[in-house]
């Protein structure tokens, strides 16, 4: 196909995605680590993934409870020194504007970086929790991270001196019940499901787009690579980076 031909196909795909979103009475966005890559946060998997540099054991609950100080040393580096500097990118901002315009019902995110909320999105179901809070595993008190001194690790609860854990789920922990129910309730009734930057390898999160598809939703996927969704549930693959594609989509919608 000629370059012109390819450009034409991309334009047509963007136009179809925009039309589907405008006509949809309920659109759900399902986001993964890929949407935050242009904010400077690497995904977990793949060539530049975090697990090539760090041992995922630091996010196993049993290991964390026995090796609090060691785990917190890495957790602080990954999720607070590094994630903390990231800013929302054009893809986060575009989703927030779609919601404001009444064209997006909710975001179900696997991310824990708080960037959707910082971009202005209101209805965000955090499937895996959020790193901006710390929680006491004994008394369940929750603390905004900026109120905790992370120079002293492991941070401890001021009430009972127990170790504080980031309020995102560690390997083997359950999904926060409210986020789980809201995500599947919306998935069952959405007309369009927009997947942005997810491999689809993490369960049960990956069942959200599958549930949407099984209930008749049209599935649009934005990802520079093929994912587990691409050849199973995706109806329209917009191949490219989240920020660039979302900006093109926004230009077509508004
Ligand atoms: P993943 O790490 O398994 O995969 C990332 C996906 O993003 C890949 O399919 C990749 O092709 C795609 N991608 C890369 N660059 C992109 C770009 N610029 N635009 C669009 N897509 C791009 O991610 P996952 O499926 O979300 O699962 C990973 C798990 O890791 C989740 O449970 C999540 O909680 C966690 N995680 C979160 C963050 C974060 O909060 N930002 C970062 C890393 C991992």
């Amino acid at each position: 196909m000629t370059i012109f031909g390819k450009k034409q196909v991309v334009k047509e795909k963007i136009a179809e995605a925009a039309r589907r979103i405008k006509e949809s009475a309920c659109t759900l966005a399902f986001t993964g680590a890929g949407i935050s890559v242009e904010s400077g946060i690497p995904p977990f998997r793949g060539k530049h993934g975090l697990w090539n540099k760090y041992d995922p054991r630091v996010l196993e609950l049993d290991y964390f409870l026995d090796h609090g100080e060691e785990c917190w040393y890495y957790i602080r580096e990954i999720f607070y020194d590094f994630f903390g500097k990231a800013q929302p990118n054009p893809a986060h901002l575009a989703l927030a504007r779609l919601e404001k315009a009444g064209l997006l019902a909710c975001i179900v995110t696997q991310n824990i970086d708080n960037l959707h909320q910082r971009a202005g999105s209101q209805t965000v179901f955090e499937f895996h929790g959020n790193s901006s809070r710390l929680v006491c595993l004994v008394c369940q008190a929750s603390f905004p991270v900026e109120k905790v001194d992370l120079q002293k690790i492991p941070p401890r609860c001021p009430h009972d001196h127990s170790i504080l854990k980031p309020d995102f789920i560690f390997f083997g922990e359950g999904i926060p019940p409210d986020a789980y129910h809201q995500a599947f309730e919306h998935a069952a009734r959405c007309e369009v499901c927009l997947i942005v930057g997810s491999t689809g390898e993490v369960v049960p999160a990956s069942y959200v787009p599958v549930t949407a598809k099984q209930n008749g939703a049209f599935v649009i996927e934005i990802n520079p690579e093929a994912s587990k969704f691409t050849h199973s549930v995706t109806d329209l693959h917009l191949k490219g980076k989240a920020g660039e594609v979302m900006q093109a989509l926004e230009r077509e919608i508004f």
Side-chain angles (χ1 to χ4, degrees):
M1 193 181 287
T2 63
I3 291 179
F4 174 75
K6 266 191 186 160
K7 271 192 180 158
Q8 190 57 29
V9 171
V10 172
K11 250 184 117 180
E12 282 166 13
K13 284 186 168 188
I14 295 277
E16 179 174 7
R19 179 178 63 77
R20 294 276 183 174
I21 290 170
K22 283 202 276 191
E23 287 174 5
S24 162
C26 177
T27 294
L28 174 153
F30 175 79
T31 65
I35 196 171
S36 296
V37 166
E38 287 154 274
S39 294
I41 300 179
F44 278 170
R45 294 171 188 72
K47 204 166 54 177
H48 303 292
L50 284 170
W51 297 146
N52 290 329
K53 188 173 170 202
Y54 296 98
D55 184 346
R57 206 165 51 161
V58 299
L59 296 188
E60 279 171 18
L61 192 59
D62 288 344
Y63 191 82
F64 172 79
L65 292 173
D66 290 341
H67 305 84
E69 190 172 338
E70 178 203 337
C71 291
W72 257 108
Y73 177 80
Y74 294 108
I75 288 170
R76 180 175 63 187
E77 184 171 305
I78 307 170
F79 298 102
Y80 298 100
D81 297 347
F82 185 51
F83 274 39
K85 294 190 183 83
Q87 298 296 327
N89 68 50
H92 298 104
L93 295 166
L95 288 179
R97 284 191 288 264
L98 284 183
E99 182 187 22
K100 211 167 175 195
L103 293 169
L104 183 67
C106 67
I107 296 173
V108 176
T109 189
Q110 297 170 88
N111 295 343
I112 55 172
D113 56 27
N114 206 36
L115 291 180
H116 286 302
Q117 289 89 336
R118 286 179 51 204
S121 289
Q122 302 284 324
T123 310
V124 184
F125 304 123
E126 296 171 319
F127 215 80
H128 294 155
N130 191 316
S131 61
S132 68
R133 300 180 298 264
L134 304 185
V135 66
C136 172
L137 292 175
V138 173
C139 73
Q140 307 302 320
S142 168
F143 307 90
V145 69
E146 59 275 11
K147 297 264 191 262
V148 178
D149 180 7
L150 287 185
Q151 294 311 311
K152 291 187 207 127
I153 50 172
R156 294 197 175 271
C157 177
H159 309 307
D160 52 35
H161 207 61
S162 306
I163 189 165
L164 295 178
K165 174 187 162 290
D167 199 9
F168 56 78
I169 62 164
F170 280 24
F171 294 117
E173 284 192 285
I175 308 301
D178 189 52
Y180 183 93
H181 292 300
Q182 292 278 13
F184 282 102
E185 193 266 314
H186 282 79
R189 64 184 170 83
C190 70
E191 293 179 4
V192 168
C193 174
L194 176 64
I195 306 171
V196 190
S198 176
T199 52
E201 284 182 18
V202 179
V203 289
S206 63
Y207 298 146
V208 171
V210 173
T211 301
K213 175 75 175 178
Q214 283 169 346
N215 285 276
F218 186 81
V219 179
I220 302 166
E221 178 177 12
I222 301 175
N223 197 317
E225 311 287 339
S227 73
K228 278 203 160 176
F229 297 120
T230 313
H231 302 294
S232 54
V233 299
T234 299
D235 294 299
L236 187 62
H237 182 193
L238 303 175
K239 208 163 184 270
K241 293 181 178 174
E244 292 169 12
V245 176
M246 281 303 305
Q247 280 177 306
L249 197 51
E250 232 193 333
R251 280 196 294 273
E252 189 71 28
I253 289 175
F254 294 116

